[in-house]
Structure formats: C-alpha cells, structure tokens
Amino acid sequence: MISSSNKDIIPEQETMSVTGRADINSTIPFSFTSLMADKASQRVIAPYVQVLRQIELEAPPKKEEFAYYLHKKPIALLQKLSVYISDMIDLISILHETANVLKVVTHSSGVTLYMIDSESQEIILHSRNAEHPHHGSRWKIETGRTLAAHVAFKKENVMVDDITGDQRFPEGIGWRRTKVKAIMCVPVVTPEEECIAVIELFKEMEEEPYKKTDLQIVVATTGWMGAAIHQNHQRVALQKQQELNDYLLGLSKHYLADHLVVDKIISEIMTFAKETIGAERGSFFIIDQESDELVADLFDDDDENTNELEHHRKKIKIRFSKERGIAGLVARTGQTVNIKDAYKDERFNKEVDIQTGFITRSILCMPIIGRDGILGVVQLVNKKNAAFFTDLDENMFKTFCVYCALAVHYSNLQEKMKKISLQNEIQSDMLKVNIFPCSHDMTRLLNSPFPEEIPPDFETFHWYPLGYEDQMCSLSMYMLVDICGDWLPDVKQTCEFVLKMKKCYRSISYHNFAHAFCVTHCMYNILKRNMEVFTPLERKALIIACFGHDVDHGGFTNNFLRLTNHSLYQLYPESSLENHHFRTTMFILSSCNLFISLPKNEFNEFQQEIHDAIIATDLVFYFQTRGKFLRILDKNEFDWTSASHRLLLKSIMMTTSDMSGQAKPFPVAKKICDGLYKEFYHQGDIEKNMGLCPLAMMDRDKQESIPDDQILCGAVILVFTRQVPLGGNARPTDVTGMGCLGLGSLVININDVDENI
C-alpha cells in the first residue's frame, strides 16, 4: 500500500502550484486498477507490486536488470520491491535507477536525487557520476529556502507549474539553472515517517507543465519504494540478528561444554562483532576491582595483510585511570557512548591519534555490566562504509556485550575458584602435617600395636574401657585387623589411621574419641557374631564408619548450625555434621594411603558404604528408616538378598551402635549421659545469648526435667527390640546385650541393661 506520508493526489483544476499527500483512503477517485490501466504507470509500478500470476522469465543481464523489466510487458514484472532491493548492494544506485525511469515516464527534462543526512539534518545532492557530493550540494532541511529542503521538512509532495513565480521557495531548486520552470518534487518516506530521499523532476520553459497522472505515477512509485525499503531494512536487521544469535549460541555451546577459555571466547566475540557491525578496530577493557583501573586486556592491531581480523592478548597489560578517555567515561557512568564525529566531540582525546597516526572518525563504546556492577568496557572504532554507527549497530552491540558480560563473570568465577583451589591445596598439605600423630605416640603404638591381653568381657556389649583408656588405640588396632583382615596394607599405615582419627576428635565432653571407640566396639561385637551375613566390603566399611562417624564434631547439633547459618550448614543443608564427618573420614583415609590397593570400582563402592553408614547416624533419617523397617518386619517380608533391605538394616545397626552407650551399666551410662548434657547446656547458653529459646534438655535452668528426657531416650532404645528371621537352616545365637545380631535373627535385648536407667 502507498505510504500514508504522501499527500492526496491534486485536483485537476489546480494549475499554478500544488502541495498534497497521496492516501490510499483518499476520497478522491483513485485506485491501482485505474492506475494500472495506463501503460506508463504499469511499466513503473510493476516492479514494486506483487502480481499473483507468474510466468517464466529469461535470465536478465545483471547490470541492466531494471531496464530489462521495464522493456518487458507489465505482466512479466512480478518481483516485489523488497526482493529487488535485497539483491542491490547500493541503495543510492537503485534510487538513481528509479529517478531516471520516472524522468522518462513523466517526460521530464531532468531529475535530481537528494539523500537525507539525519545527523546533520541536511539534504545532499547526489550525482550519478560523482563519487562524492560537490561543493554547495548541501542544504539545511527547513522551509523558506529551496523546494527540495521544503519537501524533506514537510514530507509532502509538491508540484509547481512555475518555480520562478513561487514566493515560498526564494532559492528555487538550489542550483543555478535558469531555464527550469515546472517542478515536481516527491519525498521517499517509510511507513514510520522517516524521509530517506527526495526525487526532484523538472521541465524547461518551453515544455508543458506536469499532469495529474504524472504525479500519480511518481507518488505511487515513491510510496512503494519507501515501504519496500523499510521492509528490506527490517528483513536485513532480523537476518543479522538471527545470524548473531546463532553464532553466539553456537559459541556458548562450544566453550561452555568444556573448560571455558575466556580470552579466546572474548576474542572471537569481538572479531565477530567487528565483522557483523562493520568496524575497523575493536578493544576490550577489564576493570581491575582492586585498583579500580581499566586494563587493556585485548586489542586489535588491524593487520590488513591478514585475511582474518585477529585480537591479541597483551603480554604487558596497559593500565590507565577511569578518569581518562571515552572508555574511562563509560566505565565511570555505565552509559553507552556513540560518537559520530570524534574530532568534534570534546570528550575525545586526540593525543592518542597523534601518537599512533591512526585517524578516529566514530566510536561506539559500551559497558559490560554484571551482577556486581560494571565489569569492563568494549569499544568499536570507525564504522566501515558509513560515517558513524547507527541505532541498529548499537542494539546489536548490546547483545555482544551481554555475552561478554557472561564470559567475564565466568572468568572471574574461574579465577576465584582457582585461587580457592590453590588455597585448599595449601591448607590440605598443612592439615596433613598437623594431624600427623606425635612421634612418641607413633613409636609407642608401632612397638606394641596390639594389646598383650584382651580385657575380660571385651566381646560383650556391656563392656566399656573404664581403666583401659590408655589402651584404646591398641584395642582399636585389634578390632580393625580382626574385622578387615588382609584388607589392611600394613601395620604402620593402620597405626597412623588410628592415631590421626584420635587426634581429629576434639577434646569435648561427649563427642570425643572415647565415644567413637565405644560405638566401634558395639559394631565390632555385632559383626563378630555375623561374619557370614555381611560381605567383607560391608564389614570394613561399617567398622571404619563407626570410627569416623563423629570425627571433628564441635559439640553442637545440626539444628544449631542451621539457626546460626554456619558454614557447614551452607555447604551441606541436610545432615550437615554427618556429611562433614564423612568427608573428614575420607580425608584421613587418603592421607594414610589406607585401602589404596582396592580397584577403583570397589573403592567407590566402599566409599558409598561409608557414606550411607555415617549419614544414617542422623536421627532425622533414623525415624524415616525405622518406619520403613517396621513395616517390612510386620509383614515378615525381610529379604537378605535385597540391597534396600540390607541398607535399612545397616542403618539401624549404625544408630544402635551410636546410642549403645546409654544401654551400658548404670555408672557407665550416667558418666556418658553427664558428658552429653555438658555439651547440651553449653549450646543452650550460647542460644540464650543469641536471644533464642533452647530446648528443655539444653537449658541448664530446667535440670529437673532430666528424668522425663531419660524416659524419652529409653523409648527410643526400645524401638530396636524386634527380630529379623533369616529362614533356611540358620539358627539364632543366644547372645544378650544391646544391639546384638544373631545368625538367624536380629535380637535386640536389654535384659542386661541396668534396671536403674
């Protein structure tokens, strides 16, 4: 349709001068059907109108394409203007072609093409034969001077029978031609009211004035041209944007699929940006967060001898203040700067050009903005084949900046992670040195790794190392070797493991090495009675898990870590302490090179078994496990061949061993319980100082409620008094004690527990 920017076609009776707009909704009788009835109109408008009928065409010569279609019959002119323009490299050339055709069709003496410079708000006379406009070829877009400037300003078509007698245009057509009389001047306007060019047709004194049909042809042609040029610009913009998105998406997939080489990805983004937007040079600046300076991280040497535009990382980084240059301005303000004429902009520092000999014409500079503010600056210099960078270039460059921001942010994270990783390695080495046992303890244990005599009742559940505190390490060695057997590499490494484990338990009242020894002793007695029930891997994983189930415990609960937002809680939101105990246990194992002879797949299984066993000591998971386990027992469906059933049973065994101290004879149980309450009260005091209300069992001001708490604890212990039938020919072993496992059944018996508990 004809652009709404053109005036209605003039009435026939007006003779002197006419100014108007062509509108498809005009009430004046005018239609494309009547217009196409005229052969001259057909020849001009046909290339810009999509005709439904199609016939095969001969291949036209490339240089005479427009003339070829013009000399064919109108029905053969089937191409849409948008398609036609899309094949044209130079818009000015097709405008000249069109202007010449309109000259022939309207029987004009001549035609002049003016292009619009939106930046300077001037019209520029373009000669077909001159590469650059000659002197005096520019006029300000305004009224009261030349006819073409008036048309560009009003965006209206004007037809004048005698330019010499029209007082509106004192300067006439702006260039000296005394014989010119009749003028028809029409703007080429897009649907968005942007004037692209002005076509000025004229006749000499002795020639007839223009007719209404002449104006119809010109207005229709320029209207379709404006619409088609706009559509083509939109098509090209979308095509470039699609190419850009496809490129950046492919680039991201390629690099983010593996370790990201940030220098390379930024270099490629900058190279593609230069090629897509069409710039002579590009630069990339990083803001040093420590010094708050700009660092020229990547630069473009613009080597014309190479086919590819290459960016290079500076071996010696150039630093300069953010108070200098266009890049510094963008870094300070975070605002995009698009300078169309650098030497006319006072913000531009000309000294750089003087030193380098490079001439800067235009600059497009944008900030790279991340989550933490401005990360850097990217800059393009000198738009190729144009005077300056356009709004379209600016919008496309924003997309590049987003990807650059992602790359810089990821680069910063990589650098931070690299530093943290190196710090962890240093601290890990330091920790290995500091947890190494005292040389005297190591020598003493190596000289006598096993006790000379096993204490009486050691293989009963009620035994506790009262009076044997100095032999806990040698007794630990005995239990490890007895359960793990040939799996241990040598005595020295096993001694190192026991002593390191002891050293990593803190000197607190309950969660100390004595507690770990007690738990391990209970598990040892369970396993000794059921060596055939569990695999060698399960046995050694359970015994190691008991040794490390509370290693490096600080004496606080998981809930306290959550309330204080402790780093352990942030690292492990669930089972914070238990996950830490597992990681510490594996660290100690690796530092001792224990079990290094295991194949990789077997070691992974071994590690998973330890993990599951230690996590099971979290009472939150215990209550879930207990419910599942009881349902299986109630239905008599326990299956020893089921991995899930075995996992439930091993989890119950870990909790049983962990709580076995409360089922010891009363003096022992009271000693253990007193130590636990000391830790509870210490945590309660800290919670009170924080303004929190501790639980009753952690509030030293509510010590009278201890008996009620003990009843609750006894109820928890009693939940284990169930049996697991094995089936087959296996027989239960009559062994009493808290948490014992018979060959034929799970026997949790509290007959030997002191009745005073």
Side-chain angles (χ1 to χ4, degrees):
M1 60 179 288
I2 298 177
S3 171
S4 59
S5 62
N6 292 317
K7 283 291 185 180
D8 296 329
I9 303 302
I10 59 172
E12 197 172 281
Q13 59 269 24
E14 292 191 29
T15 58
M16 183 61 185
S17 64
V18 183
T19 302
R21 280 179 176 259
D23 191 343
I24 198 169
N25 297 319
S26 174
T27 57
I28 298 174
F30 170 71
S31 67
F32 284 109
T33 304
S34 61
L35 187 61
M36 290 296 290
D38 179 70
K39 291 185 178 181
S41 301
Q42 291 176 355
R43 289 200 302 271
V44 177
I45 298 175
Y48 310 108
V49 182
Q50 182 180 18
V51 182
L52 298 179
R53 295 176 56 190
Q54 296 184 2
I55 63 173
E56 289 186 322
L57 303 176
E58 298 176 12
K62 292 184 178 178
K63 295 183 179 180
E64 301 176 352
E65 189 175 15
F66 196 92
Y68 167 82
Y69 283 115
L70 182 63
H71 289 91
K72 287 289 180 180
K73 294 181 179 180
I75 198 171
L77 307 178
L78 306 176
Q79 289 187 320
K80 288 189 291 186
L81 177 64
S82 59
V83 177
Y84 184 77
I85 291 180
S86 67
D87 297 329
M88 299 297 292
I89 298 175
D90 189 358
L91 176 61
I92 297 177
S93 296
I94 190 173
L95 288 171
H96 273 297
E97 289 281 355
T98 305
N100 288 334
V101 171
L102 292 175
K103 171 189 171 184
V104 175
V105 173
T106 58
H107 307 288
S108 299
S109 300
V111 63
T112 306
L113 174 66
Y114 300 91
M115 296 301 296
I116 306 300
D117 186 347
S118 58
E119 178 64 21
S120 63
Q121 285 297 299
E122 293 177 330
I123 58 171
I124 305 172
L125 186 149
H126 271 267
S127 174
R128 188 67 181 271
N129 300 321
E131 183 178 353
H132 300 289
H134 55 76
H135 178 70
S137 61
R138 289 176 174 266
W139 293 270
K140 198 70 176 176
I141 298 177
E142 58 186 351
T143 60
R145 299 189 66 182
T146 67
L147 174 58
H150 173 90
V151 169
F153 183 83
K154 292 289 188 178
K155 300 177 185 177
E156 299 173 349
N157 56 74
V158 175
M159 189 168 71
V160 180
D161 289 346
D162 187 357
I163 188 66
T164 60
D166 199 317
Q167 299 301 319
R168 296 174 299 171
F169 317 113
E171 297 183 15
I173 59 176
W175 46 277
R176 298 179 182 276
R177 189 170 183 132
T178 57
K179 294 183 180 181
V180 173
K181 183 178 181 182
I183 304 290
M184 182 164 50
C185 197
V186 180
V188 180
V189 183
T190 68
E192 294 184 347
E193 294 293 328
E194 178 188 2
C195 186
I196 300 172
V198 174
I199 296 177
E200 188 177 66
L201 298 158
F202 57 87
K203 291 184 178 184
E204 296 184 351
M205 291 290 185
E206 63 276 7
E207 295 179 320
E208 293 293 327
Y210 289 103
K211 300 177 182 179
K212 176 183 176 181
T213 54
D214 295 331
L215 184 59
Q216 289 176 339
I217 293 172
V218 176
V219 169
T221 303
T222 55
W224 276 102
M225 285 195 70
I229 290 171
H230 174 72
Q231 291 176 1
N232 188 64
H233 283 169
Q234 295 292 99
R235 182 192 64 81
V236 172
L238 288 174
Q239 182 178 343
K240 282 189 175 183
Q241 188 66 44
Q242 184 62 43
E243 291 175 359
L244 168 65
N245 292 339
D246 292 343
Y247 166 79
L248 293 174
L249 181 60
L251 191 68
S252 300
K253 286 181 179 179
H254 175 71
Y255 284 104
L256 296 179
D258 199 358
H259 182 72
L260 178 63
V261 183
V262 178
D263 297 341
K264 189 173 182 181
I265 191 172
I266 291 178
S267 178
E268 291 201 18
I269 289 174
M270 290 299 298
T271 300
F272 190 78
K274 283 179 55 181
E275 293 174 344
T276 304
I277 296 175
E280 291 183 7
R281 287 189 175 184
S283 301
F284 180 82
F285 305 92
I286 290 288
I287 295 179
D288 190 330
Q289 301 298 331
E290 296 180 359
S291 63
D292 201 31
E293 293 179 322
L294 279 175
V295 181
D297 206 43
L298 292 170
F299 76 102
D300 179 20
D301 60 3
D302 196 34
D303 186 359
E304 295 181 356
N305 296 322
T306 58
N307 293 327
E308 296 182 357
L309 298 171
E310 297 179 353
H311 281 72
H312 305 276
R313 188 178 182 88
K314 287 184 176 293
K315 295 180 180 179
I316 301 176
K317 296 183 178 181
I318 300 176
R319 295 174 175 268
F320 56 92
S321 172
K322 288 165 59 175
E323 302 300 321
R324 296 176 53 192
I326 301 300
L329 174 65
V330 173
R332 293 195 310 272
T333 62
Q335 301 295 321
T336 298
V337 173
N338 188 351
I339 298 178
K340 296 176 172 55
D341 191 338
Y343 281 84
K344 290 183 179 180
D345 196 304
E346 60 183 12
R347 298 171 296 180
F348 175 67
N349 184 7
K350 304 179 182 64
E351 295 179 2
V352 178
D353 280 10
I354 295 173
Q355 295 175 2
T356 61
F358 181 80
I359 299 176
T360 302
R361 301 190 309 274
S362 55
I363 300 174
L364 179 58
C365 192
M366 283 190 179
I368 301 171
I369 302 177
R371 294 177 57 187
D372 301 325
I374 301 174
L375 304 175
V377 174
V378 286
Q379 179 175 283
L380 295 179
V381 177
N382 290 355
K383 172 76 172 178
K384 292 182 178 179
N385 302 321
F388 50 83
F389 295 99
T390 64
D391 293 339
L392 176 61
D393 296 331
E394 197 171 316
N395 290 332
M396 292 185 65
F397 201 39
K398 286 180 182 178
T399 305
F400 287 105
C401 291
V402 170
Y403 280 82
C404 284
L406 293 174
V408 172
H409 180 67
Y410 193 76
S411 174
N412 291 342
L413 289 179
Q414 280 188 328
E415 289 295 325
K416 188 178 294 185
M417 291 300 297
K418 184 179 180 181
K419 288 182 180 179
I420 293 175
S421 178
L422 293 173
Q423 290 173 355
N424 286 340
E425 288 182 13
I426 295 171
Q427 292 174 354
S428 177
D429 292 339
M430 181 178 66
L431 185 59
K432 288 179 181 179
V433 172
N434 283 277
I435 68 171
F436 197 85
C438 172
S439 58
H440 300 290
D441 293 339
M442 188 70 179
T443 301
R444 188 183 304 112
L445 188 59
L446 281 174
N447 291 335
S448 181
F450 305 108
E452 297 180 0
E453 184 178 353
I454 302 301
D457 300 330
F458 182 75
E459 295 191 359
T460 63
F461 289 95
H462 63 263
W463 184 85
Y464 188 80
L466 286 175
Y468 292 91
E469 288 83 1
D470 58 342
Q471 296 186 38
M472 283 194 298
C473 289
S474 59
L475 289 171
S476 297
M477 289 286 295
Y478 172 78
M479 291 187 291
L480 277 172
V481 173
D482 197 14
I483 295 298
C484 299
D486 297 336
W487 287 62
L488 297 173
D490 58 39
V491 174
K492 182 179 180 181
Q493 288 174 319
T494 308
C495 290
E496 183 181 336
F497 168 75
V498 172
L499 291 174
K500 283 184 175 180
M501 190 65 74
K502 179 183 178 182
K503 193 169 185 177
C504 286
Y505 272 91
R506 303 188 187 186
S507 298
I508 52 181
S509 58
Y510 177 76
H511 293 96
N512 49 38
F513 182 70
H515 169 67
F517 178 86
C518 178
V519 174
T520 305
H521 174 260
C522 181
M523 180 62 71
Y524 167 76
N525 276 282
I526 295 174
L527 295 176
K528 280 291 291 183
R529 290 159 175 76
N530 303 276
M531 294 293 281
E532 294 82 5
V533 174
F534 299 99
T535 66
L537 188 142
E538 287 176 322
R539 293 199 300 267
K540 69 175 180 291
L542 286 168
I543 203 74
I544 293 295
C546 286
F547 267 113
H549 83 284
D550 273 335
V551 64
D552 194 41
H553 198 296
F556 301 101
T557 64
N558 280 328
N559 187 57
F560 180 81
L561 300 182
R562 181 185 63 82
L563 290 174
T564 57
N565 199 30
H566 193 274
S567 55
L568 279 178
Y569 171 73
Q570 296 181 48
L571 184 60
Y572 310 112
E574 293 185 356
S575 303
S576 305
L577 287 169
E578 289 72 22
N579 274 291
H580 176 60
H581 302 327
F582 164 70
R583 293 298 176 188
T584 307
T585 299
M586 297 310 299
F587 174 77
I588 295 173
L589 281 175
S590 65
S591 69
C592 300
N593 293 323
L594 211 58
F595 303 112
I596 58 173
S597 60
L598 290 177
K600 183 177 180 180
N601 60 337
E602 195 169 350
F603 181 82
N604 291 338
E605 185 181 353
F606 172 63
Q607 180 175 261
Q608 187 62 46
E609 286 280 345
I610 295 176
H611 173 270
D612 294 341
I614 293 179
I615 296 298
T617 60
D618 185 351
L619 287 179
V620 171
F621 286 101
Y622 157 70
F623 287 108
Q624 299 174 8
T625 302
R626 172 181 175 271
K628 296 177 183 178
F629 198 59
L630 286 178
R631 286 193 293 271
I632 293 173
L633 295 182
D634 290 339
K635 297 178 181 179
N636 198 25
E637 294 178 347
F638 187 86
D639 183 4
W640 284 95
T641 63
S642 170
S644 61
H645 289 189
R646 293 178 72 90
L647 177 61
L648 290 174
L649 177 60
K650 287 181 286 187
S651 298
I652 293 292
M653 289 165 56
M654 285 298 298
T655 309
T656 299
S657 300
D658 193 17
M659 300 182 66
S660 61
Q662 280 73 30
K664 300 290 183 180
F666 179 75
V668 174
K670 185 177 185 305
K671 176 179 180 297
I672 294 173
C673 191
D674 288 343
L676 179 61
Y677 270 100
K678 285 182 180 180
E679 289 187 11
F680 281 172
Y681 290 154
H682 176 62
Q683 176 177 320
D685 293 341
I686 295 176
E687 289 181 358
K688 284 182 179 180
N689 292 333
M690 294 170 59
L692 302 175
C693 182
L695 296 174
M697 68 175 62
M698 296 183 179
D699 190 348
R700 64 175 68 252
D701 296 330
K702 297 180 180 179
Q703 297 186 33
E704 69 280 357
S705 63
I706 289 180
D708 296 333
D709 296 338
Q710 290 300 302
I711 293 174
L712 176 62
C713 182
V716 173
I717 294 175
L718 287 172
V719 301
F720 298 110
T721 58
R722 303 299 299 270
Q723 292 189 357
V724 182
L726 278 175
N729 298 322
R731 296 181 304 157
T733 302
D734 185 16
V735 179
T736 61
M738 176 61 188
C740 70
L741 181 68
L743 284 175
S745 62
L746 173 65
V747 181
I748 304 299
N749 199 321
I750 58 172
N751 292 336
D752 290 347
V753 177
D754 195 300
E755 61 183 8
N756 293 321
I757 292 182

